[in-house]
C-alpha cells in the first residue's frame, strides 16, 4: 500500500470512447500530479494541482481533461484519444511543493488506445 | 527549462559487482536533485535526494550519489548489487514552473539488470 491508489490499473479504449482515470491519496498531501510514462522517453508532467487549484498545464492536448474535486482525489478524463496516447499514467502527491519534498507515486494506470 | 540526461538506457551487471548509473543535468541556478527507483509493476519511489550540505548522500539500502556542481552530475553508485536491485532508476531535478510552483523534471531512466 503506497498511500496513492490509482484505478483502473489497466484500460483499453477505442478512439471514440470516453473514460476516466481516478487517483486517491490518504496521506494528507495538498499537491497532486499527473505524469505520462512512455517507453524510451522521460516522464512527462501533465498537470499539477495545489489545494485543488490547477497550477500547471504542460501544454497537454484538450482530449485530456483533469478534475480535482478535493485535495484527496484527482481524475483524468479521456476523450477522443489517439493511439500515441497509449502509455502508463502515473498519479503522484506531495506535501507542499516538489522542490524539496518527496513525491509519492501510485502504481499507474496502463492505457491502451486502439 | 531544465533537462536531465541519463546516458545509459540499460546497465547489465552481475550480482555483487559494483555499479554506477550516470546522470547529468542542465541548470544555471541552485538545484535540488533526486534519484527515484521503479520496481516492476510499481510506481516510483524516492531513493535519495540532495538538497544542500554534504555532496555525498546515501540511501538505506546501500546506494549513494555524489553531487558534482562543476560537472553538473549526480551519479548513483553501489559497491555491491543484489538481484533485488533490478529495477529502473530515474534521476530528477526540481524546477520552478511559470506559476511559481515547483515540480520535478525526470530523465529517461536507466534499467539496471542484475544477474546471478
Amino acid at each position: 500500500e503506497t498511500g496513492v491508489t490509482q484505478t483502473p490499473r489497466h484500460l483499453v479504449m477505442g478512439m471514440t470512447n470516453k473514460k476516466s482515470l481516478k487517483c486517491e491519496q490518504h496521506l494528507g498531501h495538498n499537491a497532486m500530479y499527473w505524469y505520462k510514462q512512455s517507453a524510451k522517453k522521460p516522464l512527462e508532467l501533465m498537470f499539477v494541482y495545489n489545494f485543488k487549484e490547477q497550477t500547471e498545464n504542460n501544454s497537454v492536448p484538450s482530449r485530456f481533461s483533469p478534475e480535482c474535486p478535493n485535495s484527496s482525489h484527482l481524475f483524468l478524463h479521456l476523450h477522443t484519444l489517439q493511439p500515441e496516447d497509449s502509455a502508463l499514467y502515473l498519479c503522484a502527491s506531495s506535501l507542499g511543493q516538489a522542490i524539496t519534498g518527496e513525491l509519492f507515486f501510485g502504481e499507474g494506470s496502463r492505457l491502451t488506445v486502439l | 527549462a531544465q533537462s536531465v540526461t541519463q546516458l545509459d538506457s540499460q546497465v547489465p551487471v552481475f550480482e555483487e559487482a559494483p555499479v554506477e548509473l550516470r546522470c547529468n543535468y542542465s541548470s544555471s541556478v541552485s538545484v535540488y536533485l533526486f534519484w527515484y527507483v521503479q520496481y516492476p509493476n510499481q510506481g516510483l519511489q524516492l531513493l535519495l535526494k540532495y538538497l544542500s550540505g554534504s555532496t555525498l548522500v546515501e540511501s538505506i539500502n546501500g546506494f549513494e550519489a555524489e553531487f558534482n556542481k562543476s560537472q553538473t552530475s549526480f551519479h548513483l553508485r553501489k559497491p555491491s548489487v543484489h538481484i533485488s536491485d533490478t529495477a529502473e532508476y530515474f534521476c530528477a531535478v526540481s524546477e520552478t514552473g511559470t506559476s511559481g510552483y515547483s515540480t520535478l523534471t525526470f530523465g529517461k531512466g536507466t534499467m539496471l539488470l542484475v544477474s546471478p
Side-chain angles (χ1 to χ4, degrees):
Chain A
E1 175 58 52
T2 64
V4 179
T5 304
Q6 291 187 241
T7 55
R9 292 293 309 279
H10 300 274
L11 178 63
V12 179
M13 60 186 290
M15 289 190 286
T16 58
N17 292 158
K18 287 184 181 180
K19 297 286 184 182
S20 296
L21 306 180
K22 179 182 176 182
C23 177
E24 188 172 358
Q25 58 96 2
H26 300 286
L27 301 169
H29 292 168
N30 52 273
M32 296 188 77
Y33 311 76
W34 279 116
Y35 279 89
K36 177 183 179 182
Q37 185 177 23
S38 305
K40 311 297 184 185
K41 295 176 67 175
L43 268 73
E44 300 172 50
L45 178 65
M46 300 175 71
F47 302 102
V48 183
Y49 280 81
N50 278 277
F51 293 101
K52 303 187 297 178
E53 299 298 321
Q54 186 180 122
T55 54
E56 288 285 342
N57 178 337
N58 207 18
S59 302
V60 180
S62 60
R63 57 186 184 269
F64 294 92
S65 174
E67 179 189 0
C68 189
N70 54 62
S71 294
S72 299
H73 294 86
L74 184 64
F75 295 89
L76 188 63
H77 303 300
L78 315 170
H79 175 51
T80 321
L81 295 190
Q82 305 298 311
E84 59 265 29
D85 296 322
S86 298
L88 182 67
Y89 289 85
L90 291 166
C91 174
S93 69
S94 67
L95 184 64
Q97 297 186 46
I99 189 168
T100 59
E102 176 181 353
L103 289 186
F104 289 77
F105 284 84
E107 294 181 325
S109 293
R110 174 72 63 185
L111 173 66
T112 302
V113 182
L114 302 176
Chain B
Q2 298 181 18
S3 66
V4 176
T5 301
Q6 292 183 246
L7 297 172
D8 304 302
S9 60
Q10 189 169 297
V11 173
V13 64
F14 289 108
E15 193 174 20
E16 298 183 6
V19 70
E20 179 179 79
L21 307 183
R22 296 178 291 172
C23 173
N24 289 87
Y25 64 93
S26 67
S27 174
S28 59
V29 298
S30 297
V31 294
Y32 301 112
L33 295 158
F34 306 79
W35 276 99
Y36 278 77
V37 59
Q38 185 177 31
Y39 297 103
N41 299 313
Q42 295 187 27
L44 280 71
Q45 305 170 38
L46 180 66
L47 186 62
L48 47 75
K49 61 183 177 182
Y50 169 78
L51 302 181
S52 64
S54 173
T55 57
L56 185 67
V57 291
E58 299 177 352
S59 72
I60 58 173
N61 57 352
F63 282 94
E64 63 179 30
E66 186 162 19
F67 170 57
N68 189 318
K69 186 175 183 179
S70 62
Q71 297 186 7
T72 60
S73 68
F74 190 55
H75 301 330
L76 181 70
R77 294 187 289 263
K78 188 170 185 179
S80 175
V81 295
H82 301 290
I83 297 285
S84 59
D85 292 324
T86 294
E88 189 148 25
Y89 293 80
F90 294 89
C91 183
V93 61
S94 62
E95 180 173 18
T96 301
T98 54
S99 63
Y101 286 90
S102 299
T103 58
L104 294 184
T105 297
F106 287 85
K108 291 184 180 181
T110 297
M111 185 68 201
L112 176 62
L113 295 168
V114 182
S115 54

